[in-house]
Amino acid sequence: MSNYHIKNLEEYFQVYRRSVRNPENFWEEIAEEHFLWRKKWNTVLSWDFTKPEVKWFEGAQLNITENCIDRHLVTRGEKTAILFEPNNPNEAAEHITYRDLYKRVNKLANVLKAKGIKKGDRVCIYLPMIPELAVSLLACARIGAIHSVVFAGFSSTALATRINDAECKMVITSDGSYRGSKMIDLKGIVDEALEECPCVENVLVVKRINSEINVVQGRDQWLQPLLDEASDECEAEIMNAEDPLFILYTSGSTGKPKGMLHTTAGYMVYTAYTFKNVFQYRENDVYWCTADIGWITGHSYIVYGPLANGATTVMFEGVPSYPDYSRFWQIVEKHKVNQFYTAPTAIRALAKEGLSHVESSDLSSLKILGTVGEPINEEAWHWYDDNIGKRKSPIVDTWWQTETGGIMITPIPFSTPTKPTYATLPFPGIQPALMDAEGSEIKGNQVEGRLCVKFPWPSMARTIWGNHERYRNTYFSTFENKYFTGDGALRDEVGYYRITGRVDDVIIVSGHNLGTAPIEDAINEHPAVAESAIVGFPHDIKGNALYGYVILKDTGESRNHENLRKEINQIITEQVGPIAKLDRIQFTQGLPKTRSGKIMRRILRKIASNDISNLGDTSTLLNPEVVQGIIDEVLV
Ligand code: WTA
């Protein structure tokens, strides 16, 4: 256990230096000491960022579920693995022990096998935050099937695109979901999606809200009766280190989402090691990450990282505002949560509701607070520190991405002095670089640039499913021999990093990454729309909100703009999902374009943010006159 827990800043620097001097050695030691291998590796790392190709622990064999479940049975069989807190506070919480989890995962794994799912097959999981969601991931991993979780807030069109891209043979869903006071008809959404998905042979349906569902004979089945019949022993499939574990989609600069592919051994080692250190998890702690398992944060830090450490991980089905805004804090008190990990957008929303919601709960169990998903503003950071952590629980502002698989830049609690809005220092093994526009690395401190990583780490995505060229282009072609994150960052006088935000066409709204292209594609489907452009503008709670500039077709008729706005948001809801709805829509005559025909979003962003005093150089535009027109439209 020598190097598993970092205890102070001096030790962090020692570990960090060692991790950079000899990364292979560093990761090999961690892999040796803390995991269960069926066979050890021949080579720790081979890599080439020009192809790009990265392989960790080649030759090794393992099953991640044996590491997340089986090996804990001897000492932690009766310990709670998953603590499920339902949407309705009056429904009892469920304590799923490691032994229960073992049985449930094996049963589902046997059901999947009986339905013909084999190693390498893709299974789409479209479920709310109920235990079956975590169990489904693990059941796939048990038999070597590749899971592709789609966040259950996505629309049927978005779901269909993802199912088809990965050619999933099966969908696991539920009759519906509870979200606060609402019920959502998930099975109905799946039915709609599957009209476009010939690859899907079977749909397994979890009963959650007891609603009537449409059963397509030969395709759909309730899951419970199948589980009742299944054996609770299922031998784990022996996987090679680089065998795929899962696909998870993220937005990109084109309409098509990118299916990031993560593999087995490196992902396991990195998520487990980061979990242990970033949250300083101790044996009897109760850890709660409020993310949805539909996002990478849930994959790595609700399921795999915590379970690989034998932790107790809370899964919350509901929303922070139901039955009222004190719900998060009531859960902290009820389950005596020690580590609490959430998103800045949730912190801002809760801060706005006032302290009475906080003060009614006993938060004294909390030891460590975390944030993830977007830059945290200073005000929200202090509110969190003062009122939730009571200035005694360090805040870990963790920067990372779907593509990185695990936390990359973060304080180590009680070791790294925190600084509001700073993710601070790279995690051991991570070698960040800031790059200038010419492609050179900017050395030294008090500098700002584009954030890259110079050396591979175990949990990086290996490719985009079905499109390796796009993977190379997106991440490895902007800067030679470096992974480009798409984020801007600055490094302060002591070498701390602060992430300043995306420098590409991705906008982060309430912590969700949204590509501009799929939203624009949706808007352009409205028969009255000729062209559109989306930008982000600052929003008190969501961080960013969406602003759409829309050019209407010239039909000679006058249109009711309010109705059009509603129709446009309706199309976006159907095509992408409600999270992508526009806060503002401006109907305009033209869009500023470069001479090569690209929309100049920089200018649109400034106008949307009400920052028109310094629009920069507009003379290179193809049509500089439209800029004043757009400003005039806002002013009237
Ligand atoms: C942003 C979420 C500032 C960033 C794990 C990144 C952050 C994108 C932080 C990835 C942070 C994430 N501070 N920005 N602590 N964490 N981001 O793929 O722009 O959903 O590129 O992964 O979120 O979002 P994703």
Side-chain angles (χ1 to χ4, degrees):
M1 290 292 190
S2 51
N3 50 15
Y4 212 58
H5 245 149
I6 294 166
K7 290 173 209 71
N8 53 53
L9 193 60
E10 201 183 323
E11 191 181 329
Y12 161 80
F13 281 117
Q14 271 173 14
V15 172
Y16 185 76
R17 274 195 295 269
R18 200 158 54 80
S19 77
V20 172
R21 225 179 295 126
N22 194 339
E24 277 97 337
N25 234 324
F26 175 77
W27 289 112
E28 178 160 45
E29 245 176 55
I30 292 167
E32 285 269 3
E33 283 184 40
H34 305 286
F35 301 91
L36 186 69
W37 303 92
R38 290 294 190 111
K39 180 172 169 284
K40 294 272 170 78
W41 46 92
N42 308 320
T43 323
V44 177
L45 169 66
S46 58
W47 66 292
D48 177 349
F49 274 178
T50 59
K51 287 185 176 167
E53 191 178 86
V54 173
K55 291 182 177 163
W56 284 91
F57 307 113
E58 246 191 312
Q61 293 189 322
L62 72 156
N63 187 290
I64 196 168
T65 67
E66 290 190 328
N67 282 273
C68 288
I69 309 172
D70 303 37
R71 66 167 165 153
H72 303 312
L73 293 179
V74 183
T75 53
R76 302 186 177 110
E78 306 320 312
K79 178 177 174 176
T80 302
I82 295 176
L83 204 176
F84 172 61
E85 171 67 24
N87 178 63
N88 177 351
N90 300 320
E91 190 181 324
E94 198 182 334
H95 290 254
I96 301 169
T97 65
Y98 274 93
R99 196 168 312 284
D100 301 333
L101 186 63
Y102 174 82
K103 291 183 183 161
R104 289 175 71 160
V105 167
N106 283 341
K107 275 177 170 278
L108 181 53
N110 281 323
V111 169
L112 299 184
K113 277 209 305 213
K115 288 279 163 201
I117 300 295
K118 297 183 302 297
K119 179 176 176 181
D121 286 344
R122 275 80 60 206
V123 173
C124 173
I125 303 173
Y126 187 71
L127 280 171
M129 280 288 284
I130 54 177
E132 286 79 1
L133 173 52
V135 170
S136 298
L137 268 68
L138 295 162
C140 287
R142 187 80 177 171
I143 62 168
I146 305 171
H147 56 75
S148 169
V149 181
V150 177
F151 171 60
F154 274 119
S155 70
S156 60
T157 315
L159 174 61
T161 308
R162 287 159 178 75
I163 290 173
N164 285 330
D165 185 74
E167 294 176 275
C168 295
K169 280 173 77 173
M170 175 187 273
V171 178
I172 307 178
T173 189
S174 66
D175 55 351
S177 68
Y178 295 119
R179 263 188 93 69
S181 55
K182 284 192 257 176
M183 283 198 271
I184 300 161
D185 174 18
L186 291 191
K187 176 63 167 59
I189 297 172
V190 169
D191 286 340
E192 240 179 85
L194 293 193
E195 285 174 23
E196 314 290 330
C197 303
C199 48
V200 173
E201 295 164 7
N202 288 292
V203 179
L204 300 179
V205 188
V206 178
K207 192 168 264 199
R208 177 59 184 140
I209 65 167
N210 288 312
S211 67
E212 287 282 318
I213 59 160
N214 160 44
V215 175
V216 175
Q217 288 305 327
R219 188 194 76 181
D220 304 352
Q221 263 180 302
W222 288 109
L223 180 58
Q224 194 57 49
L226 302 175
L227 291 173
D228 293 341
E229 295 296 307
S231 154
D232 57 16
E233 289 292 337
C234 175
E235 204 166 314
E237 183 80 29
I238 312 262
M239 305 295 283
N240 294 319
E242 284 295 336
D243 279 341
L245 177 63
F246 66 85
I247 299 168
L248 186 61
Y249 286 88
T250 188
S251 309
S253 54
T254 74
K256 207 171 168 209
K258 297 175 290 197
M260 304 313 306
L261 183 78
H262 283 283
T263 58
T264 306
Y267 177 82
M268 172 182 78
V269 168
Y270 195 80
T271 53
Y273 182 61
T274 46
F275 173 77
K276 182 88 175 178
N277 282 289
V278 174
F279 299 104
Q280 295 281 307
Y281 187 83
R282 309 279 156 171
E283 186 59 35
N284 293 314
D285 286 348
V286 174
Y287 160 89
W288 180 21
C289 165
T290 71
D292 193 292
I293 293 176
W295 311 113
I296 191 70
T297 306
H299 281 61
S300 302
Y301 299 110
I302 296 179
V303 182
Y304 290 112
L307 296 179
N309 282 282
T312 297
T313 176
V314 175
M315 255 184 97
F316 175 44
E317 184 183 24
V319 292
S321 55
Y322 180 80
D324 63 47
Y325 282 94
S326 62
R327 186 68 192 278
F328 270 9
W329 318 126
Q330 284 175 6
I331 296 174
V332 168
E333 174 178 318
K334 178 174 171 191
H335 298 303
K336 302 202 171 38
V337 171
N338 302 112
Q339 291 91 355
F340 177 76
Y341 190 28
T342 195
T345 187
I347 298 169
R348 289 188 295 262
L350 293 167
K352 185 168 152 274
E353 299 303 320
L355 284 177
S356 60
H357 295 287
V358 179
E359 284 160 352
S360 49
S361 301
D362 175 5
L363 304 181
S364 59
S365 57
L366 289 173
K367 294 195 288 194
I368 288 159
L369 303 177
T371 82
V372 60
E374 57 186 311
I376 181 163
N377 50 307
E378 190 133 7
E379 210 184 332
W381 195 98
H382 283 295
W383 186 87
Y384 201 29
D385 187 37
D386 291 347
N387 302 300
I388 307 306
K390 321 280 185 201
R391 299 198 188 176
K392 67 172 179 50
S393 305
I395 297 177
V396 288
D397 177 351
T398 63
W399 173 82
W400 59 295
Q401 311 178 292
T402 305
E403 295 86 337
T404 69
I407 294 168
M408 302 286 280
I409 301 183
T410 178
I412 305 290
F414 308 110
S415 295
T416 319
T418 58
K419 176 174 177 183
T421 77
Y422 281 74
T424 74
L425 296 170
F427 193 78
I430 303 307
Q431 303 186 31
L434 296 180
M435 308 298 291
D436 67 18
E438 279 71 52
S440 310
E441 182 172 351
I442 311 168
K443 302 267 174 128
N445 288 342
Q446 285 191 296
V447 292
E448 184 165 2
R450 305 199 155 200
L451 181 60
C452 288
V453 187
K454 293 194 274 197
F455 195 86
W457 62 101
S459 66
M460 60 191 295
R462 302 296 195 259
T463 190
I464 292 175
W465 182 259
N467 199 344
H468 195 67
E469 186 50 25
R470 187 174 179 198
Y471 178 66
R472 198 185 65 74
N473 260 327
T474 311
Y475 303 105
F476 296 89
S477 68
T478 317
F479 300 103
E480 207 185 334
N481 230 355
K482 291 186 181 59
Y483 166 79
F484 175 44
T485 65
D487 282 325
L490 58 83
R491 194 160 51 219
D492 77 357
E493 62 287 355
V494 300
Y496 274 16
Y497 288 86
R498 175 189 187 167
I499 313 304
T500 48
R502 302 290 309 189
V503 294
D504 57 9
D505 289 346
V506 172
I507 305 169
I508 304 192
V509 178
S510 300
H512 302 318
N513 292 8
L514 299 171
T516 51
I519 304 173
E520 288 163 5
D521 289 351
I523 300 172
N524 297 348
E525 284 196 14
H526 191 290
V529 171
E531 201 183 352
S532 62
I534 301 294
V535 296
F537 70 101
H539 185 280
D540 283 353
I541 290 172
K542 301 195 237 184
N544 293 298
L546 298 178
Y547 193 115
Y549 294 89
V550 175
I551 304 178
L552 294 174
K553 285 181 188 154
D554 190 4
T555 56
E557 312 159 32
S558 75
R559 307 272 320 224
N560 179 320
H561 282 183
E562 259 336 286
N563 287 347
L564 277 174
R565 286 191 176 95
K566 282 193 195 126
E567 288 163 21
I568 286 171
N569 268 329
Q570 185 55 32
I571 294 187
I572 294 174
T573 304
E574 284 159 17
Q575 302 268 319
V576 188
I579 48 179
K581 281 202 282 196
L582 309 183
D583 270 40
R584 293 209 199 123
I585 298 176
Q586 176 175 346
F587 295 102
T588 185
Q589 301 301 317
L591 294 168
K593 294 207 173 152
T594 63
R595 286 178 198 279
S596 60
K598 270 188 75 175
I599 296 169
M600 191 75 125
R601 285 173 209 278
R602 180 174 57 77
I603 292 172
L604 294 175
R605 226 175 278 138
K606 290 212 159 192
I607 299 174
S609 313
N610 231 336
D611 175 21
I612 50 175
S613 55
N614 179 18
L615 289 179
D617 185 10
T618 55
S619 64
T620 56
L621 290 174
L622 187 67
N623 51 355
E625 69 289 350
V626 305
V627 175
Q628 194 55 47
I630 296 174
I631 296 171
D632 292 344
E633 287 159 4
V634 180
L635 297 177
V636 293

